[in-house]
Amino acid sequence: MALGNISLAPTEPLPAMRHALENHRLSISVSETGAELASIVKLDTGREYMWQADPDVWGSSSPVLFPIIGMLADGKTMIDGQEYRIPKHGMVRNNPNLELFYHSEDRLTFRLCYSEETLKLYPYKFDFRITYRLRNEHIIVYHEIMNVDEKPMFFNLGAHPAFRVPFIDGEAYSDYSLRFEHKESAGRYSVLSNGTIGDVTRPVPWKDGNILPLTHELFAKDALVFKDLSSRSITLESSITGPVLKVDYAGWTHLGIWAKPNGNFVCIEPWIGLADTPATGGEFKNKEGLIELDPGQTYEMSYDIKIL
C-alpha cells in the first residue's frame, strides 16, 4: 500500500471542499477535510438541521473520532513500551488528506490510509473508510476499519454530529429536549479538567424517566457521558413544534451528549469506548471499550439519522 504525507492539525478545521447528495426529500453535504457531515437540508422546507460550525463558538459540525475518543491523559499513551501522542479525537478529525473514494447517486465514501506520519502517532497500519448514504429521510453513516498490518490493532471509534437548537426561528434553546427510547436511571460520568473521564457518576436531570431537557447550563461542566443506558435511539424534539430528528445507534456501547454552553446546538455522540479514565494508567491497551481487530479483518459499525 502506498504511503502518503499527512498533516494532523489539532485545531479548528480549514475551509474544505464539500461533496453533495440529494434525493426527493433531503440534500446533504460532507466536507472533504475530516469527512464531516456539514449540512442536512429538508427540501420541502429548506431548513438546515446541522450546526454550521461558527468558529467563534465551535468550528466543527460532525467530527469523526478514530482511533481515540476525547483526550489521552497528559496527551500521551504507551503502546508496546513506546510513547505516542495522538491528537484529541484522533487522526480523522480536521485531516485534509482524506480522499473521496466513491461517489454514487446515493452515497459518498471517504478514505484515509496509514502513512509514515500516522505511524509516528499510532503504530498500526489501517485503511479507514466512512460512507454517508442517503435513503428517503435517512442519513446512514457507515464506518469500515481494515487492519492491513501483520499484528492485531486496537482502537476506539466515535461520532460527534451537532444539530441546530433551536431549530425553528422564534423558539428558545430551553424549548427543546432529548427523548430517550427507554426510561433511564443512569448517572453521568464527569469530564475532568484535563479532558479525561472520572469514575464517579453525577445525577442527571431526567424528566419522566426518559426526557432530558436542554439548557445551556446543562453543559457548564462539559459533556454528559453515559456508559449504562438501555436506550439505543434518541429523538430531538421541541415542546412547541414537535419532533425534529431521531438518531439510532444500535451496537454502540457509550454515549456523549454535549454542546458549548454558548452554542445553539446539541451533539448526540455514539461511541465505542471513552477518553482515558483513571483505570487506563497511561497504557493504550487499558482504554475502556477498546476494539481489537486481527490482521486482515474489517470492523464495521453504523448509525442512522432520521429527519422527522
Side-chain angles (χ1 to χ4, degrees), residues 165-176 214 216 238 240 264:
V165 178
F167 176 67
I168 302 294
D169 292 343
E171 294 183 347
Y173 197 87
S174 57
D175 292 328
Y176 285 74
L214 293 180
H216 290 301
S238 163
I240 299 173
N264 285 329

Side-chain angles (χ1 to χ4, degrees), residues 151-163:
K151 59 188 177 184
M153 65 178 285
F154 299 84
F155 58 93
N156 292 133
L157 180 68
H160 203 313
F163 304 108

Side-chain angles (χ1 to χ4, degrees), residues 208-251:
D208 300 329
N210 70 325
I211 297 173
L212 181 63
L214 293 180
T215 65
H216 290 301
E217 293 74 24
L218 185 65
F219 305 106
K221 295 186 177 180
D222 214 301
L224 284 70
V225 176
F226 296 101
K227 302 182 185 182
D228 308 309
L229 295 173
S230 57
S231 298
R232 286 297 174 265
S233 69
I234 295 174
T235 300
L236 173 64
E237 59 186 22
S238 163
S239 61
I240 299 173
T241 51
V244 175
L245 57 84
K246 180 181 180 183
V247 177
D248 286 287
Y249 55 96

Side-chain angles (χ1 to χ4, degrees), residues 226-227 249 252-256 269-274 288-289:
F226 296 101
K227 302 182 185 182
Y249 55 96
W252 300 78
T253 56
H254 300 72
L255 185 80
E269 305 182 37
W271 299 338
I272 297 178
L274 294 173
E288 184 166 333

